Amino acid sequence: MERVACAWLPDWPVVSDGSNPDGALPSAVVAGGKVVACSVAARAVGVRRGMRLRQATSRAPGLEVIARDVEGEMRYFEPVLQRLEAEVAPRWELIRPGLVVLPARGPSRYFGGEQALADRVVASIACAGHTAQAGVADTVFAAALAARRRVLVAEGRTREFLAPYPVGILGRARLAELLVRLGLSTVGDFAAMPGDRVLERFGVDGEAAHRTARGLEARGLSTREPGEDLTAACVFEPAEVRVEPVAFAAKQLALELHERLTAAGAVCARVEVALTLADGRRLTRLWRHEGRLSELAVAERVRWQLTAWQESGALTPQTDGRDGVEGIVRLAVRPEALSAATGRQGLLFGERTASAEMEVAAGRLQAMLGHGAVTRVQLGGGRGPAERTVRVAFGDLPPENGLPGGPWPGRLPAPHPTWVPVQPETARLEDVRGELVGVSARLELSAPPARLTLHGQPAVDVAGWTEPWPALEQWWNASKARRLVRMQIVTANSVAWLVALEGGQWWAEACYG
């Protein structure tokens, strides 16, 4: 069984932005309205990864909010990868910036054991000025968890290591929810189920999760025939000196790669991005794929890698050999570690359905405009207007935010607003003396509202308002509990607003027109 070493750099999205993750000021990196990483100071006051931005700012009023820049994270991580390749071993597999894995058997023998290898990895990253943690296990999934705990899982003991974790750690929300309802709350409980019964009940995706729970790689053996090459490549004549045309060509290569994999009935565990430069050098980087990256996702990773190489100076021509020759002459995307594709079964006979045609069209649009450009509306549960209607990128699962039917005590009654912003806008509700209007625990206003000020707009006199009503969410969970009050305000210019008070801050959640 192959052993896998993993290096994890905590809070990398925060670190790559130039912030100090251990600093006194709380900070968080946000994408899609949710926290994807936060500093130690932010976690100390209750901010957690996956939390909504509004909830995070209510817990940390002085929170520094940073928009996520994955391309910037990759540029900042490239020197760390180059150091690891020079000082530890080549061919690291990149899962995401800040998380990389390596086959451990060869390097551990060279350095004198797995502990020596882990120490070498941590020391090499420390020389680059960053804090890292390392772990070793039998699979990539287990090695990533081992790195977070700074442990070396003994060979053949990966299943025991994974057993105490909750099933949600497997990354399949619907499967985890069903397993918990069936009484299988831990990975060990799920691993104890017979494999044939898992395949029969939960399908091929459930079988892959079951293999992971048993301490095995989710994918089986390679299905590539001898001599079969599924590499997608593009040659540039003359050599291309700009990164943008090469990144544009990567979109077509990603499409071609997926078409070849589909025709071969295979998926790949990783993708190698390879550049051949005009001075004869060849640059390569491995990205973890696991059969889950779309065409757009592959093209994005190629673009991130190109930008990282450019920023690090790797694309600058060498002074020896063919002096003065610069540019890129070939870009190749090669799949590695192939296994049988076990996706949805299509129709054996008959025409393609309208649903399939729509999926193809949506996929093409996403490849041109971005993954989030094509969305569908999903009715969700919640009390606020923004929670009731959720836009989900086509092909993604809907968020697990509760049943639409409720009950949802304190939810917004009809008639519903005509306009709801993507994120609530900051507001200020004042009384006649210019002081902020407060609401007591008994839902009594500190003073009648007189003026409403929205972010970036002049103050408007208040013509009428409703009594405030409360919304208390997850009061039983101290880390997720929320308490806010809402009011409907009518201004002098005959515009009605829905405003909410949470953590001493007023927000404009919606407009009735």
Side-chain angles (χ1 to χ4, degrees), residues 232 246 250 253 270-276 282-287 298-306 309 330-336:
V246 182
L253 291 184
R270 52 184 175 262
V271 172
E272 181 190 64
V273 181
L275 281 188
T276 303
R282 187 172 183 268
L283 305 177
T284 62
R285 178 71 69 226
L286 286 174
W287 281 86
V298 172
E300 283 181 337
R301 280 153 179 78
V302 175
R303 178 171 55 83
W304 298 341
Q305 192 59 60
L306 290 171
W309 277 329
R330 186 174 185 266
L331 169 65
V333 182
R334 183 170 68 90
E336 291 192 357

PDB file of all heavy atoms in Angstrom, residues 232 246 250 253 270-276 282-287 298-306 309 330-336:
ATOM      1  N   ALA A 232      -4.063  16.254 -23.637  1.00  0.00           N
ATOM      2  CA  ALA A 232      -4.528  17.335 -24.511  1.00  0.00           C
ATOM      3  C   ALA A 232      -3.436  18.399 -24.539  1.00  0.00           C
ATOM      4  O   ALA A 232      -3.000  18.874 -23.484  1.00  0.00           O
ATOM      5  CB  ALA A 232      -5.836  17.923 -23.999  1.00  0.00           C
ATOM      6  N   VAL A 246      -2.239  31.875 -23.652  1.00  0.00           N
ATOM      7  CA  VAL A 246      -2.026  30.501 -23.202  1.00  0.00           C
ATOM      8  C   VAL A 246      -3.148  30.086 -22.249  1.00  0.00           C
ATOM      9  O   VAL A 246      -3.655  28.957 -22.320  1.00  0.00           O
ATOM     10  CB  VAL A 246      -0.652  30.370 -22.522  1.00  0.00           C
ATOM     11  CG1 VAL A 246      -0.409  28.928 -22.087  1.00  0.00           C
ATOM     12  CG2 VAL A 246       0.456  30.827 -23.463  1.00  0.00           C
ATOM     13  N   ALA A 250      -6.058  27.109 -22.601  1.00  0.00           N
ATOM     14  CA  ALA A 250      -6.291  26.093 -21.576  1.00  0.00           C
ATOM     15  C   ALA A 250      -7.762  25.718 -21.477  1.00  0.00           C
ATOM     16  O   ALA A 250      -8.091  24.586 -21.122  1.00  0.00           O
ATOM     17  CB  ALA A 250      -5.779  26.587 -20.228  1.00  0.00           C
ATOM     18  N   LEU A 253      -8.322  23.104 -24.058  1.00  0.00           N
ATOM     19  CA  LEU A 253      -7.638  21.877 -23.667  1.00  0.00           C
ATOM     20  C   LEU A 253      -8.402  21.148 -22.566  1.00  0.00           C
ATOM     21  O   LEU A 253      -8.465  19.911 -22.562  1.00  0.00           O
ATOM     22  CB  LEU A 253      -6.218  22.199 -23.195  1.00  0.00           C
ATOM     23  CG  LEU A 253      -5.223  22.691 -24.252  1.00  0.00           C
ATOM     24  CD1 LEU A 253      -3.848  22.857 -23.641  1.00  0.00           C
ATOM     25  CD2 LEU A 253      -5.172  21.735 -25.430  1.00  0.00           C
ATOM     26  N   ARG A 270      -5.512  12.846 -10.785  1.00  0.00           N
ATOM     27  CA  ARG A 270      -4.765  14.099 -10.806  1.00  0.00           C
ATOM     28  C   ARG A 270      -4.516  14.509 -12.250  1.00  0.00           C
ATOM     29  O   ARG A 270      -4.594  13.705 -13.180  1.00  0.00           O
ATOM     30  CB  ARG A 270      -3.444  13.962 -10.039  1.00  0.00           C
ATOM     31  CG  ARG A 270      -2.585  12.793 -10.464  1.00  0.00           C
ATOM     32  CD  ARG A 270      -1.343  12.665  -9.595  1.00  0.00           C
ATOM     33  NE  ARG A 270      -0.575  11.479  -9.936  1.00  0.00           N
ATOM     34  CZ  ARG A 270      -0.656  10.323  -9.274  1.00  0.00           C
ATOM     35  NH1 ARG A 270      -1.480  10.215  -8.254  1.00  0.00           N
ATOM     36  NH2 ARG A 270       0.076   9.284  -9.635  1.00  0.00           N
ATOM     37  N   VAL A 271      -4.189  15.788 -12.422  1.00  0.00           N
ATOM     38  CA  VAL A 271      -3.922  16.366 -13.737  1.00  0.00           C
ATOM     39  C   VAL A 271      -2.556  17.040 -13.692  1.00  0.00           C
ATOM     40  O   VAL A 271      -2.276  17.810 -12.768  1.00  0.00           O
ATOM     41  CB  VAL A 271      -5.012  17.386 -14.132  1.00  0.00           C
ATOM     42  CG1 VAL A 271      -4.620  18.118 -15.405  1.00  0.00           C
ATOM     43  CG2 VAL A 271      -6.347  16.691 -14.322  1.00  0.00           C
ATOM     44  N   GLU A 272      -1.729  16.742 -14.679  1.00  0.00           N
ATOM     45  CA  GLU A 272      -0.422  17.385 -14.781  1.00  0.00           C
ATOM     46  C   GLU A 272      -0.497  18.525 -15.785  1.00  0.00           C
ATOM     47  O   GLU A 272      -0.919  18.336 -16.928  1.00  0.00           O
ATOM     48  CB  GLU A 272       0.648  16.385 -15.220  1.00  0.00           C
ATOM     49  CG  GLU A 272       2.037  17.015 -15.321  1.00  0.00           C
ATOM     50  CD  GLU A 272       3.054  16.110 -15.974  1.00  0.00           C
ATOM     51  OE1 GLU A 272       2.872  15.787 -17.171  1.00  0.00           O
ATOM     52  OE2 GLU A 272       4.034  15.730 -15.308  1.00  0.00           O
ATOM     53  N   VAL A 273      -0.109  19.709 -15.355  1.00  0.00           N
ATOM     54  CA  VAL A 273       0.001  20.871 -16.231  1.00  0.00           C
ATOM     55  C   VAL A 273       1.470  21.009 -16.605  1.00  0.00           C
ATOM     56  O   VAL A 273       2.332  21.126 -15.723  1.00  0.00           O
ATOM     57  CB  VAL A 273      -0.494  22.144 -15.530  1.00  0.00           C
ATOM     58  CG1 VAL A 273      -0.387  23.339 -16.463  1.00  0.00           C
ATOM     59  CG2 VAL A 273      -1.932  21.967 -15.064  1.00  0.00           C
ATOM     60  N   ALA A 274       1.769  20.958 -17.897  1.00  0.00           N
ATOM     61  CA  ALA A 274       3.160  20.981 -18.354  1.00  0.00           C
ATOM     62  C   ALA A 274       3.349  22.080 -19.389  1.00  0.00           C
ATOM     63  O   ALA A 274       2.575  22.191 -20.344  1.00  0.00           O
ATOM     64  CB  ALA A 274       3.559  19.627 -18.944  1.00  0.00           C
ATOM     65  N   LEU A 275       4.391  22.877 -19.199  1.00  0.00           N
ATOM     66  CA  LEU A 275       4.780  23.927 -20.145  1.00  0.00           C
ATOM     67  C   LEU A 275       6.151  23.599 -20.719  1.00  0.00           C
ATOM     68  O   LEU A 275       7.068  23.222 -19.976  1.00  0.00           O
ATOM     69  CB  LEU A 275       4.853  25.289 -19.453  1.00  0.00           C
ATOM     70  CG  LEU A 275       3.590  26.078 -19.178  1.00  0.00           C
ATOM     71  CD1 LEU A 275       3.960  27.462 -18.673  1.00  0.00           C
ATOM     72  CD2 LEU A 275       2.718  26.185 -20.408  1.00  0.00           C
ATOM     73  N   THR A 276       6.279  23.755 -22.015  1.00  0.00           N
ATOM     74  CA  THR A 276       7.581  23.673 -22.666  1.00  0.00           C
ATOM     75  C   THR A 276       7.951  25.065 -23.137  1.00  0.00           C
ATOM     76  O   THR A 276       7.187  25.692 -23.889  1.00  0.00           O
ATOM     77  CB  THR A 276       7.561  22.700 -23.846  1.00  0.00           C
ATOM     78  OG1 THR A 276       7.134  21.412 -23.391  1.00  0.00           O
ATOM     79  CG2 THR A 276       8.951  22.581 -24.468  1.00  0.00           C
ATOM     80  N   ARG A 282      11.261  22.664 -19.220  1.00  0.00           N
ATOM     81  CA  ARG A 282       9.912  22.118 -19.074  1.00  0.00           C
ATOM     82  C   ARG A 282       9.464  22.301 -17.628  1.00  0.00           C
ATOM     83  O   ARG A 282      10.143  21.859 -16.700  1.00  0.00           O
ATOM     84  CB  ARG A 282       9.868  20.638 -19.458  1.00  0.00           C
ATOM     85  CG  ARG A 282       8.459  20.034 -19.492  1.00  0.00           C
ATOM     86  CD  ARG A 282       8.504  18.628 -20.083  1.00  0.00           C
ATOM     87  NE  ARG A 282       7.184  18.042 -20.201  1.00  0.00           N
ATOM     88  CZ  ARG A 282       6.609  17.278 -19.265  1.00  0.00           C
ATOM     89  NH1 ARG A 282       7.271  17.007 -18.145  1.00  0.00           N
ATOM     90  NH2 ARG A 282       5.408  16.776 -19.446  1.00  0.00           N
ATOM     91  N   LEU A 283       8.327  22.969 -17.432  1.00  0.00           N
ATOM     92  CA  LEU A 283       7.761  23.195 -16.108  1.00  0.00           C
ATOM     93  C   LEU A 283       6.518  22.324 -15.952  1.00  0.00           C
ATOM     94  O   LEU A 283       5.672  22.268 -16.862  1.00  0.00           O
ATOM     95  CB  LEU A 283       7.381  24.664 -15.914  1.00  0.00           C
ATOM     96  CG  LEU A 283       8.487  25.705 -16.142  1.00  0.00           C
ATOM     97  CD1 LEU A 283       7.920  27.105 -15.972  1.00  0.00           C
ATOM     98  CD2 LEU A 283       9.640  25.476 -15.176  1.00  0.00           C
ATOM     99  N   THR A 284       6.407  21.653 -14.816  1.00  0.00           N
ATOM    100  CA  THR A 284       5.249  20.793 -14.566  1.00  0.00           C
ATOM    101  C   THR A 284       4.709  21.042 -13.171  1.00  0.00           C
ATOM    102  O   THR A 284       5.444  21.445 -12.265  1.00  0.00           O
ATOM    103  CB  THR A 284       5.620  19.300 -14.693  1.00  0.00           C
ATOM    104  OG1 THR A 284       6.600  18.965 -13.711  1.00  0.00           O
ATOM    105  CG2 THR A 284       6.139  18.979 -16.085  1.00  0.00           C
ATOM    106  N   ARG A 285       3.435  20.788 -13.019  1.00  0.00           N
ATOM    107  CA  ARG A 285       2.799  20.864 -11.705  1.00  0.00           C
ATOM    108  C   ARG A 285       1.611  19.897 -11.694  1.00  0.00           C
ATOM    109  O   ARG A 285       0.856  19.806 -12.671  1.00  0.00           O
ATOM    110  CB  ARG A 285       2.312  22.274 -11.397  1.00  0.00           C
ATOM    111  CG  ARG A 285       1.602  22.421 -10.079  1.00  0.00           C
ATOM    112  CD  ARG A 285       2.552  22.312  -8.891  1.00  0.00           C
ATOM    113  NE  ARG A 285       3.443  23.457  -8.819  1.00  0.00           N
ATOM    114  CZ  ARG A 285       4.744  23.357  -8.622  1.00  0.00           C
ATOM    115  NH1 ARG A 285       5.311  22.170  -8.496  1.00  0.00           N
ATOM    116  NH2 ARG A 285       5.505  24.440  -8.550  1.00  0.00           N
ATOM    117  N   LEU A 286       1.444  19.153 -10.600  1.00  0.00           N
ATOM    118  CA  LEU A 286       0.341  18.209 -10.453  1.00  0.00           C
ATOM    119  C   LEU A 286      -0.765  18.822  -9.612  1.00  0.00           C
ATOM    120  O   LEU A 286      -0.512  19.361  -8.526  1.00  0.00           O
ATOM    121  CB  LEU A 286       0.840  16.915  -9.786  1.00  0.00           C
ATOM    122  CG  LEU A 286       1.690  15.973 -10.644  1.00  0.00           C
ATOM    123  CD1 LEU A 286       2.203  14.829  -9.790  1.00  0.00           C
ATOM    124  CD2 LEU A 286       0.885  15.437 -11.814  1.00  0.00           C
ATOM    125  N   TRP A 287      -1.990  18.728 -10.113  1.00  0.00           N
ATOM    126  CA  TRP A 287      -3.174  19.164  -9.370  1.00  0.00           C
ATOM    127  C   TRP A 287      -4.043  17.941  -9.102  1.00  0.00           C
ATOM    128  O   TRP A 287      -4.275  17.110  -9.992  1.00  0.00           O
ATOM    129  CB  TRP A 287      -3.984  20.189 -10.169  1.00  0.00           C
ATOM    130  CG  TRP A 287      -3.417  21.570 -10.131  1.00  0.00           C
ATOM    131  CD1 TRP A 287      -2.449  22.085 -10.952  1.00  0.00           C
ATOM    132  CD2 TRP A 287      -3.776  22.623  -9.238  1.00  0.00           C
ATOM    133  NE1 TRP A 287      -2.188  23.385 -10.621  1.00  0.00           N
ATOM    134  CE2 TRP A 287      -2.980  23.741  -9.573  1.00  0.00           C
ATOM    135  CE3 TRP A 287      -4.683  22.722  -8.192  1.00  0.00           C
ATOM    136  CZ2 TRP A 287      -3.077  24.948  -8.893  1.00  0.00           C
ATOM    137  CZ3 TRP A 287      -4.783  23.920  -7.516  1.00  0.00           C
ATOM    138  CH2 TRP A 287      -3.984  25.022  -7.866  1.00  0.00           C
ATOM    139  N   VAL A 298     -10.720  22.865 -14.209  1.00  0.00           N
ATOM    140  CA  VAL A 298      -9.386  22.523 -14.722  1.00  0.00           C
ATOM    141  C   VAL A 298      -8.750  23.735 -15.395  1.00  0.00           C
ATOM    142  O   VAL A 298      -7.570  24.039 -15.177  1.00  0.00           O
ATOM    143  CB  VAL A 298      -9.473  21.332 -15.696  1.00  0.00           C
ATOM    144  CG1 VAL A 298      -8.130  21.105 -16.387  1.00  0.00           C
ATOM    145  CG2 VAL A 298      -9.901  20.072 -14.961  1.00  0.00           C
ATOM    146  N   ALA A 299      -9.528  24.435 -16.230  1.00  0.00           N
ATOM    147  CA  ALA A 299      -8.995  25.618 -16.917  1.00  0.00           C
ATOM    148  C   ALA A 299      -8.580  26.695 -15.917  1.00  0.00           C
ATOM    149  O   ALA A 299      -7.550  27.369 -16.105  1.00  0.00           O
ATOM    150  CB  ALA A 299     -10.042  26.169 -17.884  1.00  0.00           C
ATOM    151  N   GLU A 300      -9.346  26.868 -14.849  1.00  0.00           N
ATOM    152  CA  GLU A 300      -8.984  27.855 -13.834  1.00  0.00           C
ATOM    153  C   GLU A 300      -7.662  27.502 -13.165  1.00  0.00           C
ATOM    154  O   GLU A 300      -6.813  28.371 -12.932  1.00  0.00           O
ATOM    155  CB  GLU A 300     -10.089  27.944 -12.778  1.00  0.00           C
ATOM    156  CG  GLU A 300     -11.315  28.717 -13.224  1.00  0.00           C
ATOM    157  CD  GLU A 300     -12.358  28.796 -12.139  1.00  0.00           C
ATOM    158  OE1 GLU A 300     -12.345  27.915 -11.240  1.00  0.00           O
ATOM    159  OE2 GLU A 300     -13.180  29.735 -12.155  1.00  0.00           O
ATOM    160  N   ARG A 301      -7.469  26.229 -12.862  1.00  0.00           N
ATOM    161  CA  ARG A 301      -6.229  25.824 -12.206  1.00  0.00           C
ATOM    162  C   ARG A 301      -5.018  25.989 -13.115  1.00  0.00           C
ATOM    163  O   ARG A 301      -3.927  26.336 -12.652  1.00  0.00           O
ATOM    164  CB  ARG A 301      -6.355  24.374 -11.707  1.00  0.00           C
ATOM    165  CG  ARG A 301      -7.130  24.303 -10.400  1.00  0.00           C
ATOM    166  CD  ARG A 301      -7.840  22.989 -10.201  1.00  0.00           C
ATOM    167  NE  ARG A 301      -8.542  22.978  -8.915  1.00  0.00           N
ATOM    168  CZ  ARG A 301      -9.690  23.576  -8.681  1.00  0.00           C
ATOM    169  NH1 ARG A 301     -10.294  24.261  -9.654  1.00  0.00           N
ATOM    170  NH2 ARG A 301     -10.253  23.520  -7.490  1.00  0.00           N
ATOM    171  N   VAL A 302      -5.215  25.762 -14.397  1.00  0.00           N
ATOM    172  CA  VAL A 302      -4.126  26.016 -15.341  1.00  0.00           C
ATOM    173  C   VAL A 302      -3.786  27.508 -15.355  1.00  0.00           C
ATOM    174  O   VAL A 302      -2.606  27.896 -15.350  1.00  0.00           O
ATOM    175  CB  VAL A 302      -4.506  25.526 -16.750  1.00  0.00           C
ATOM    176  CG1 VAL A 302      -3.423  25.914 -17.762  1.00  0.00           C
ATOM    177  CG2 VAL A 302      -4.713  24.014 -16.754  1.00  0.00           C
ATOM    178  N   ARG A 303      -4.807  28.354 -15.350  1.00  0.00           N
ATOM    179  CA  ARG A 303      -4.560  29.801 -15.346  1.00  0.00           C
ATOM    180  C   ARG A 303      -3.860  30.232 -14.068  1.00  0.00           C
ATOM    181  O   ARG A 303      -2.922  31.040 -14.104  1.00  0.00           O
ATOM    182  CB  ARG A 303      -5.889  30.553 -15.506  1.00  0.00           C
ATOM    183  CG  ARG A 303      -5.766  32.057 -15.459  1.00  0.00           C
ATOM    184  CD  ARG A 303      -7.070  32.741 -15.837  1.00  0.00           C
ATOM    185  NE  ARG A 303      -8.165  32.281 -15.013  1.00  0.00           N
ATOM    186  CZ  ARG A 303      -8.451  32.753 -13.803  1.00  0.00           C
ATOM    187  NH1 ARG A 303      -7.675  33.690 -13.268  1.00  0.00           N
ATOM    188  NH2 ARG A 303      -9.479  32.298 -13.113  1.00  0.00           N
ATOM    189  N   TRP A 304      -4.309  29.711 -12.915  1.00  0.00           N
ATOM    190  CA  TRP A 304      -3.632  30.042 -11.654  1.00  0.00           C
ATOM    191  C   TRP A 304      -2.157  29.646 -11.707  1.00  0.00           C
ATOM    192  O   TRP A 304      -1.291  30.394 -11.264  1.00  0.00           O
ATOM    193  CB  TRP A 304      -4.305  29.313 -10.490  1.00  0.00           C
ATOM    194  CG  TRP A 304      -5.730  29.670 -10.264  1.00  0.00           C
ATOM    195  CD1 TRP A 304      -6.385  30.789 -10.725  1.00  0.00           C
ATOM    196  CD2 TRP A 304      -6.705  28.914  -9.540  1.00  0.00           C
ATOM    197  NE1 TRP A 304      -7.698  30.768 -10.336  1.00  0.00           N
ATOM    198  CE2 TRP A 304      -7.934  29.637  -9.598  1.00  0.00           C
ATOM    199  CE3 TRP A 304      -6.679  27.713  -8.849  1.00  0.00           C
ATOM    200  CZ2 TRP A 304      -9.094  29.178  -8.994  1.00  0.00           C
ATOM    201  CZ3 TRP A 304      -7.832  27.250  -8.241  1.00  0.00           C
ATOM    202  CH2 TRP A 304      -9.028  27.976  -8.315  1.00  0.00           C
ATOM    203  N   GLN A 305      -1.903  28.453 -12.270  1.00  0.00           N
ATOM    204  CA  GLN A 305      -0.524  27.968 -12.310  1.00  0.00           C
ATOM    205  C   GLN A 305       0.335  28.821 -13.239  1.00  0.00           C
ATOM    206  O   GLN A 305       1.493  29.126 -12.931  1.00  0.00           O
ATOM    207  CB  GLN A 305      -0.505  26.507 -12.758  1.00  0.00           C
ATOM    208  CG  GLN A 305       0.835  25.832 -12.562  1.00  0.00           C
ATOM    209  CD  GLN A 305       1.254  25.845 -11.113  1.00  0.00           C
ATOM    210  OE1 GLN A 305       0.581  25.310 -10.242  1.00  0.00           O
ATOM    211  NE2 GLN A 305       2.388  26.465 -10.825  1.00  0.00           N
ATOM    212  N   LEU A 306      -0.223  29.214 -14.378  1.00  0.00           N
ATOM    213  CA  LEU A 306       0.520  30.081 -15.298  1.00  0.00           C
ATOM    214  C   LEU A 306       0.880  31.402 -14.633  1.00  0.00           C
ATOM    215  O   LEU A 306       2.017  31.883 -14.742  1.00  0.00           O
ATOM    216  CB  LEU A 306      -0.310  30.328 -16.560  1.00  0.00           C
ATOM    217  CG  LEU A 306      -0.500  29.143 -17.516  1.00  0.00           C
ATOM    218  CD1 LEU A 306      -1.524  29.502 -18.583  1.00  0.00           C
ATOM    219  CD2 LEU A 306       0.813  28.751 -18.160  1.00  0.00           C
ATOM    220  N   TRP A 309       3.653  30.855 -12.046  1.00  0.00           N
ATOM    221  CA  TRP A 309       4.965  30.709 -12.680  1.00  0.00           C
ATOM    222  C   TRP A 309       5.490  32.054 -13.175  1.00  0.00           C
ATOM    223  O   TRP A 309       6.679  32.346 -13.082  1.00  0.00           O
ATOM    224  CB  TRP A 309       4.880  29.716 -13.835  1.00  0.00           C
ATOM    225  CG  TRP A 309       4.983  28.284 -13.403  1.00  0.00           C
ATOM    226  CD1 TRP A 309       5.682  27.802 -12.335  1.00  0.00           C
ATOM    227  CD2 TRP A 309       4.370  27.156 -14.024  1.00  0.00           C
ATOM    228  NE1 TRP A 309       5.538  26.438 -12.249  1.00  0.00           N
ATOM    229  CE2 TRP A 309       4.746  26.003 -13.276  1.00  0.00           C
ATOM    230  CE3 TRP A 309       3.554  26.985 -15.136  1.00  0.00           C
ATOM    231  CZ2 TRP A 309       4.325  24.719 -13.618  1.00  0.00           C
ATOM    232  CZ3 TRP A 309       3.143  25.697 -15.473  1.00  0.00           C
ATOM    233  CH2 TRP A 309       3.524  24.585 -14.721  1.00  0.00           C
ATOM    234  N   ARG A 330       4.658  25.153 -25.909  1.00  0.00           N
ATOM    235  CA  ARG A 330       3.697  24.040 -25.806  1.00  0.00           C
ATOM    236  C   ARG A 330       3.070  24.027 -24.418  1.00  0.00           C
ATOM    237  O   ARG A 330       3.767  24.198 -23.409  1.00  0.00           O
ATOM    238  CB  ARG A 330       4.387  22.699 -26.066  1.00  0.00           C
ATOM    239  CG  ARG A 330       3.437  21.490 -26.114  1.00  0.00           C
ATOM    240  CD  ARG A 330       4.214  20.242 -26.519  1.00  0.00           C
ATOM    241  NE  ARG A 330       3.343  19.086 -26.697  1.00  0.00           N
ATOM    242  CZ  ARG A 330       3.085  18.176 -25.759  1.00  0.00           C
ATOM    243  NH1 ARG A 330       3.646  18.303 -24.553  1.00  0.00           N
ATOM    244  NH2 ARG A 330       2.290  17.145 -26.007  1.00  0.00           N
ATOM    245  N   LEU A 331       1.757  23.838 -24.389  1.00  0.00           N
ATOM    246  CA  LEU A 331       1.011  23.638 -23.158  1.00  0.00           C
ATOM    247  C   LEU A 331       0.311  22.293 -23.249  1.00  0.00           C
ATOM    248  O   LEU A 331      -0.358  22.006 -24.242  1.00  0.00           O
ATOM    249  CB  LEU A 331      -0.028  24.743 -22.948  1.00  0.00           C
ATOM    250  CG  LEU A 331      -1.064  24.530 -21.835  1.00  0.00           C
ATOM    251  CD1 LEU A 331      -0.394  24.497 -20.466  1.00  0.00           C
ATOM    252  CD2 LEU A 331      -2.143  25.604 -21.878  1.00  0.00           C
ATOM    253  N   ALA A 332       0.469  21.472 -22.221  1.00  0.00           N
ATOM    254  CA  ALA A 332      -0.148  20.141 -22.215  1.00  0.00           C
ATOM    255  C   ALA A 332      -0.846  19.916 -20.888  1.00  0.00           C
ATOM    256  O   ALA A 332      -0.360  20.327 -19.824  1.00  0.00           O
ATOM    257  CB  ALA A 332       0.895  19.056 -22.454  1.00  0.00           C
ATOM    258  N   VAL A 333      -1.995  19.256 -20.959  1.00  0.00           N
ATOM    259  CA  VAL A 333      -2.752  18.850 -19.772  1.00  0.00           C
ATOM    260  C   VAL A 333      -2.902  17.339 -19.848  1.00  0.00           C
ATOM    261  O   VAL A 333      -3.569  16.822 -20.746  1.00  0.00           O
ATOM    262  CB  VAL A 333      -4.128  19.531 -19.713  1.00  0.00           C
ATOM    263  CG1 VAL A 333      -4.871  19.137 -18.451  1.00  0.00           C
ATOM    264  CG2 VAL A 333      -3.986  21.043 -19.779  1.00  0.00           C
ATOM    265  N   ARG A 334      -2.263  16.630 -18.909  1.00  0.00           N
ATOM    266  CA  ARG A 334      -2.216  15.172 -18.977  1.00  0.00           C
ATOM    267  C   ARG A 334      -2.878  14.556 -17.749  1.00  0.00           C
ATOM    268  O   ARG A 334      -2.520  14.892 -16.614  1.00  0.00           O
ATOM    269  CB  ARG A 334      -0.761  14.709 -19.060  1.00  0.00           C
ATOM    270  CG  ARG A 334      -0.584  13.185 -19.199  1.00  0.00           C
ATOM    271  CD  ARG A 334       0.850  12.856 -19.524  1.00  0.00           C
ATOM    272  NE  ARG A 334       1.725  13.149 -18.412  1.00  0.00           N
ATOM    273  CZ  ARG A 334       2.031  12.276 -17.448  1.00  0.00           C
ATOM    274  NH1 ARG A 334       1.501  11.067 -17.459  1.00  0.00           N
ATOM    275  NH2 ARG A 334       2.852  12.614 -16.476  1.00  0.00           N
ATOM    276  N   PRO A 335      -3.834  13.642 -17.946  1.00  0.00           N
ATOM    277  CA  PRO A 335      -4.463  12.977 -16.798  1.00  0.00           C
ATOM    278  C   PRO A 335      -3.577  11.851 -16.269  1.00  0.00           C
ATOM    279  O   PRO A 335      -2.898  11.160 -17.045  1.00  0.00           O
ATOM    280  CB  PRO A 335      -5.765  12.434 -17.387  1.00  0.00           C
ATOM    281  CG  PRO A 335      -5.430  12.180 -18.830  1.00  0.00           C
ATOM    282  CD  PRO A 335      -4.431  13.229 -19.230  1.00  0.00           C
ATOM    283  N   GLU A 336      -3.598  11.676 -14.965  1.00  0.00           N
ATOM    284  CA  GLU A 336      -2.827  10.605 -14.333  1.00  0.00           C
ATOM    285  C   GLU A 336      -3.713   9.809 -13.385  1.00  0.00           C
ATOM    286  O   GLU A 336      -4.734  10.300 -12.920  1.00  0.00           O
ATOM    287  CB  GLU A 336      -1.633  11.171 -13.557  1.00  0.00           C
ATOM    288  CG  GLU A 336      -0.544  11.760 -14.435  1.00  0.00           C
ATOM    289  CD  GLU A 336       0.723  12.024 -13.652  1.00  0.00           C
ATOM    290  OE1 GLU A 336       0.725  11.809 -12.430  1.00  0.00           O
ATOM    291  OE2 GLU A 336       1.724  12.433 -14.269  1.00  0.00           O
TER     292      GLU A 336
END
